Amino acid sequence: NIYKRRKIARLVNRFSAVSVREQEGAALIKRLTDSVPAVLPDPVMIVPKDKWQSVMDNDIPQEKYILCYFIGDNPSYWETVAAIAAREQCTVRVIPRTEGARNAGYPLEENVPPQRWLGLIDGAAHVVTDSFHGATFSAVLNKACTIVRRYREDDPESKNSRIDQLLRNLGVSSLNNADWHVVNTNLAARAEAAKAWLADAINQAAP
């Protein structure tokens, strides 16, 4: 409503610099405030691959496996998993977040801390996920990743724009058979631009 829109605009305008993660978010802020925020990559994309690898747990399964990490609970996800497993002749391991994941009939990785979560992605032959950060870390770690959409495109609650912006940032249409040279070049360029913007924003805000 108009009251909330005015309140959001008033609060946003108190900041000397504003950035958002998606172009769609930038368009929303522009409508509310008549100013255009910077569109920057998610912070995890600013940290290079080797830094993430230096903190991950490497004590992971040694077989060739597909890693499944789903926030949503959609039975069609498992049809996709089964097809990829058959095509690539892989076992399947699941980091469960839903009852559907726990009951899918595959080995579970329960109570996974961040270090092991990263290690499981890095060690996977293929990642299947509906998670923005699952897809993002797959890209950073150069892992083939099938992204399944958690929301219908006409769903007013859809967060699919996160995935759309991720792929735009990386310069690819999918992470299934991505050109990792293109991905890594774009990651590095986006990271440098983000760090420059942050440094400038901090300098502007400094007393």
Side-chain angles (χ1 to χ4, degrees), residues 10-163:
R10 185 172 69 252
L11 292 172
V12 170
N13 284 328
R14 291 170 60 182
F15 290 92
S16 59
V18 176
S19 71
V20 296
R21 194 169 58 186
E22 289 97 35
Q23 290 176 355
E24 292 81 357
L28 176 61
I29 294 296
K30 185 178 186 300
R31 288 199 300 272
L32 291 172
T33 67
D34 206 31
S35 61
V36 181
V39 179
L40 300 182
D42 189 90
V44 304
M45 298 169 69
I46 299 174
V47 180
K49 176 182 178 180
D50 62 331
K51 294 293 185 182
W52 290 118
Q53 288 177 323
S54 72
V55 300
M56 67 177 54
D57 179 0
N58 292 310
D59 183 19
I60 57 169
Q62 295 304 302
E63 76 268 17
K64 183 181 178 183
Y65 65 90
I66 294 169
L67 182 69
C68 302
Y69 178 68
F70 302 127
I71 306 299
D73 203 353
N74 188 328
S76 69
Y77 290 175
W78 302 106
E79 297 173 10
T80 300
V81 170
I84 295 171
R87 184 183 72 231
E88 301 196 9
Q89 295 294 293
C90 290
T91 62
V92 176
R93 304 193 76 84
V94 177
I95 301 175
R97 290 286 306 269
T98 67
E99 283 306 306
R102 287 188 172 84
N103 296 325
Y106 297 113
L108 303 179
E109 293 282 345
E110 296 273 17
N111 304 314
V112 174
Q115 297 93 327
R116 184 166 178 80
W117 189 83
L118 286 170
L120 287 166
I121 291 176
D122 194 49
H126 200 113
V127 177
V128 187
T129 188
D130 65 353
S131 157
F132 170 81
H133 283 102
T136 300
F137 275 107
S138 296
V140 170
L141 297 171
N142 291 180
K143 289 295 166 179
C145 177
T146 295
I147 304 169
V148 291
R149 297 275 175 156
R150 201 184 329 160
Y151 301 92
R152 300 189 319 273
E153 295 302 331
D154 60 352
D155 186 341
E157 301 297 319
S158 173
K159 298 177 183 177
N160 289 341
S161 63
R162 297 176 177 181
I163 299 298

